[in-house]
Amino acid sequence: MDLLDDQALHASSVVANNAMNRERQLHGVNSYAKVLGFDPLTRAGTAWLDLCCGSGRALVQAAEQTTGVTLTGVDLVDAFRPAPPGVTLVAAPLETWTPGREFDLITCVHGLHYVGDKLGVLSRILRWLTPGGMFVADLDLASIQPGGRPLAALLRAAGIGYDARRKRITCTGPRALDLPYRYLGADDRAGPNYTGQPAVTSYYVRQEKIV
């Protein structure tokens, strides 16, 4: 199998042009509150970071409904709505982007489906939480090879929750995640995942640690 590196993956039509989260709003039927099962504004504290934020619609709406919250969105594709005061929208790949602060809430709604090194990105994200801060994201372990139950067990052992039915990952407070996996590359021809949309499968080799 010919696996793609980050540069090739970012140019893929599956990744660069995906519309899964492009116009999702804050509240309502097709919303963050509906998908996550809670209103992000109740958990945002003083800073909410939304990764793979699409157009940034939810953050723009959040700025209209609250004050005193720093709202930051990051997406690979620069197709953002005009950002009002208090909202920062950044076009950058998650593999290399780094914030200059910590966050009380970090979300990634259906975004990790399109990331190559999912585990590497996850380990970076978990360092950006404040003590008591919450991270929640959609993650299908079937899109990580090898993954499945052994990986779920490693995540849970590290204090990271994984709901196999909802395919939802959660974490409270920062973590230093050190998993025994080396990233090999990604396949953008994996086809639809559980959402019905084309997704990316990430390939690793598991390396047992020598004690």
Side-chain angles (χ1 to χ4, degrees), residues 171-182:
C171 182
T172 300
R175 292 284 187 282
L177 184 63
D178 184 18
L179 296 174
Y181 289 84
R182 179 170 60 86

Side-chain angles (χ1 to χ4, degrees), residues 35-48:
V35 171
L36 297 174
F38 64 88
D39 181 350
L41 292 183
T42 66
R43 307 282 184 92
T46 61
W48 172 20

Side-chain angles (χ1 to χ4, degrees), residues 145-160:
Q145 298 296 327
R149 290 182 180 179
L151 175 56
L154 288 173
L155 291 173
R156 292 184 180 117
I160 300 164

Side-chain angles (χ1 to χ4, degrees), residues 13-63:
S13 60
V14 171
V15 175
N17 296 318
N18 82 77
M20 172 65 76
N21 204 38
R22 185 62 49 202
E23 286 297 325
R24 194 181 303 276
Q25 57 186 351
L26 184 62
H27 301 121
V29 177
N30 181 33
S31 69
Y32 278 65
K34 180 71 173 179
V35 171
L36 297 174
F38 64 88
D39 181 350
L41 292 183
T42 66
R43 307 282 184 92
T46 61
W48 172 20
L49 170 64
D50 186 30
L51 302 171
C52 303
C53 67
S55 69
R57 181 182 186 185
L59 294 173
V60 171
Q61 291 175 336

Side-chain angles (χ1 to χ4, degrees), residues 34-186:
K34 180 71 173 179
V35 171
L36 297 174
F38 64 88
D39 181 350
L41 292 183
T42 66
R43 307 282 184 92
T46 61
W48 172 20
L49 170 64
D50 186 30
L51 302 171
C52 303
C53 67
S55 69
R57 181 182 186 185
L59 294 173
V60 171
Q61 291 175 336
E64 297 169 349
Q65 300 177 34
T66 189
T67 58
V69 181
T70 298
L71 302 165
T72 306
V74 181
D75 198 276
L76 180 65
V77 179
D78 184 356
F80 301 128
R81 290 174 173 242
V87 177
T88 300
L89 300 175
V90 181
L94 295 187
E95 295 87 349
T96 56
W97 181 80
T98 301
R101 61 164 300 158
E102 297 173 337
F103 297 87
D104 298 307
L105 175 65
I106 303 177
T107 54
C108 189
V109 175
H110 293 301
L112 292 178
H113 307 322
Y114 308 102
V115 171
D117 186 2
K118 294 174 175 62
L119 299 180
V121 166
L122 178 61
S123 69
R124 301 182 75 243
I125 294 171
L126 295 179
R127 301 191 197 107
W128 305 338
L129 288 168
T130 60
M134 179 182 182
F135 169 63
V136 57
D138 299 289
L139 178 63
D140 183 4
L141 294 192
S143 68
I144 298 175
Q145 298 296 327
R149 290 182 180 179
L151 175 56
L154 288 173
L155 291 173
R156 292 184 180 117
I160 300 164
Y162 183 70
D163 185 328
R165 183 175 67 84
R166 292 187 173 87
K167 296 177 175 54
R168 180 73 44 76
I169 188 168
T170 56
C171 182
T172 300
R175 292 284 187 282
L177 184 63
D178 184 18
L179 296 174
Y181 289 84
R182 179 170 60 86
Y183 180 58
L184 299 176

